[in-house]
Amino acid sequence: MRVGIGYDSHRFVSGRPLVLGGVRIPFDTGLAGHSDADVVAHAVTDALLGAAGLGDIGTHFPADDERWRDADSIELLRAAVRILEERNYQVVNVDVTVVAEQPKLRPHVDAMRARLADALAISPDNVSVKGKTNEQMGWVGRGEGIAGMAVALIDAVRD
Ligand code: MG
């Protein structure tokens, strides 16, 4: 068994959809980024790659690569799972904390868990997503952006 941690943040910007955990969330601003700026998918991807000791999301999906412009980050997550599978690892579970002053994330948590679980090829029971505010402190508290943190446990496939 190996464990990994992932962190990501993106700044709010107008004119883009807000996508978190592969779910489009109704809100008046989205997040800036080369891809769809899904901080949840990015944090989980980094946690997986970290657990396997295989670098990070920027190593595998460089932000200056046109292939990833406006990319669906759930597809990047699927690609990371394939990279792990090639090395004989499977995902056991992931736990995510999303820190955002707004919007309220609780109504979207189960949809995020389902999308992430599908990409990870595990049960939604093994995917946890928790929304938190930052109690109006700092850049998150001022509503400048969203941060995501994830831990992932992976295991060698036994046959
Ligand atoms: Mg990112």
Side-chain angles (χ1 to χ4, degrees), residues 120-134:
L120 296 165
I122 59 178
S123 162
D125 293 343
N126 293 323
V127 179
S128 162
V129 176
K130 310 174 304 294
K132 304 282 289 183
T133 73
N134 212 38

Side-chain angles (χ1 to χ4, degrees), residues 9 22 26 45-46 70 87 117:
S9 60
T45 301
D46 260 358
D70 297 324
R87 289 170 172 76

Side-chain angles (χ1 to χ4, degrees), residues 10-95:
H10 284 266
R11 181 183 293 274
F12 278 123
V13 67
S14 57
R16 296 196 89 200
L18 178 61
V19 181
L20 295 174
V23 176
R24 193 164 169 158
I25 292 174
F27 195 53
D28 53 2
T29 54
L31 295 171
H34 183 69
S35 67
D36 63 5
D38 184 337
V39 294
V40 172
H42 292 179
V44 173
T45 301
D46 260 358
L48 293 180
L49 294 170
L54 293 172
D56 63 16
I57 193 167
T59 321
H60 295 273
F61 315 108
D64 58 1
D65 188 328
E66 283 303 307
R67 278 183 298 169
W68 314 122
R69 178 177 294 281
D70 297 324
D72 176 350
S73 297
I74 287 290
E75 295 308 317
L76 304 187
L77 180 58
R78 281 187 209 282
V81 171
R82 283 195 295 275
I83 290 166
L84 264 62
E85 285 170 352
E86 286 165 9
R87 289 170 172 76
N88 216 36
Y89 288 118
Q90 62 190 357
V91 182
V92 178
N93 76 299
V94 301
D95 184 20

